[in-house]
């Protein structure tokens, strides 16, 4: 868990350094998270916090969010993540949004957790294509 007492001489532990390096090298970020008490999960919030320590490695990256869960399909967690993203200087795509009620019938996932619904797979593909397009737009001409 995040503990700034573990930062020694402006550095981080090897696992945190490795995670931060991966974020730094990424062109964009896809968050896939369930909802936990109307918010993001504790492990995701912990990862966000470690990577936001100076220098903030989330800054100026394109991002998208997908979620699956009950009722609203994780939508409240997505909106909370968008609020967190303002401080992080993340740039989320606005459309298309992807919320999935994972428990409605017919089944969206098989017993192994694989997405089996073709229409949902297509919606997910649209999110990924929008993220790619937005990422390229933010990066500007090569």
């Amino acid at each position: 868990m995040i503990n700034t007492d573990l930062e020694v001489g402006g550095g981080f532990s090897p696992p945190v350094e490795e995670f931060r390096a991966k974020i730094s090298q990424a062109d964009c970020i896809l968050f896939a998270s369930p909802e936990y008490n109307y918010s993001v999960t504790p492990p995701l919030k912990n990862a966000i916090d470690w990577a936001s320590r100076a220098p903030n490695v989330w800054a100026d990256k394109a991002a998208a969010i997908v979620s699956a869960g009950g009722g609203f399909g994780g939508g409240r967690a997505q909106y909370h993540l968008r609020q967190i993203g303002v401080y992080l200087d993340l740039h989320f795509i606005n459309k298309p949004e992807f919320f999935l009620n994972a428990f409605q019938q017919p089944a969206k996932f098989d017993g192994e957790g694989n997405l089996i619904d073709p229409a949902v797979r297509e919606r997910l593909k649209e999110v990924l294509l929008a993220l790619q397009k937005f990422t390229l737009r933010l990066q500007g001409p090569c």
Side-chain angles (χ1 to χ4, degrees):
M1 296 301 291
I2 190 161
N3 179 350
T4 56
D5 291 339
L6 299 176
E7 297 175 32
V8 179
F12 303 96
S13 67
V16 172
E17 287 286 1
E18 183 179 341
F19 175 68
R20 291 171 53 83
K22 288 179 180 179
I23 299 299
S24 290
Q25 295 165 7
D27 291 326
C28 62
I29 307 294
L30 175 65
F31 291 94
S33 178
E35 187 172 300
Y36 187 84
N37 293 334
Y38 287 17
S39 186
V40 298
T41 63
L44 176 56
K45 181 63 166 81
N46 188 63
I48 288 168
D49 290 345
W50 271 120
S52 72
R53 300 291 297 157
N56 172 17
V57 296
W58 300 110
D60 215 26
K61 298 215 182 267
I65 314 168
V66 298
S67 60
F72 194 37
R76 291 172 292 232
Q78 285 197 27
Y79 289 123
H80 192 203
L81 183 54
R82 285 177 179 273
Q83 291 172 322
I84 295 167
V86 170
Y87 178 79
L88 301 174
D89 197 24
L90 278 166
H91 307 292
F92 287 103
I93 63 170
N94 291 318
K95 300 285 181 186
E97 294 178 304
F98 186 94
F99 313 100
L100 178 62
N101 182 332
F103 306 107
Q104 68 186 158
Q105 295 299 319
K108 307 299 181 200
F109 299 94
D110 65 16
E112 310 262 317
N114 298 305
L115 183 60
I116 58 172
D117 184 300
V120 173
R121 290 174 72 111
E122 186 59 32
R123 287 181 38 225
L124 186 56
K125 179 181 176 182
E126 290 171 8
V127 170
L128 297 174
L129 291 172
L131 177 57
Q132 178 188 39
K133 182 178 178 182
F134 187 55
T135 300
L136 294 172
R137 190 174 96 203
L138 284 180
Q139 290 175 343
C142 294

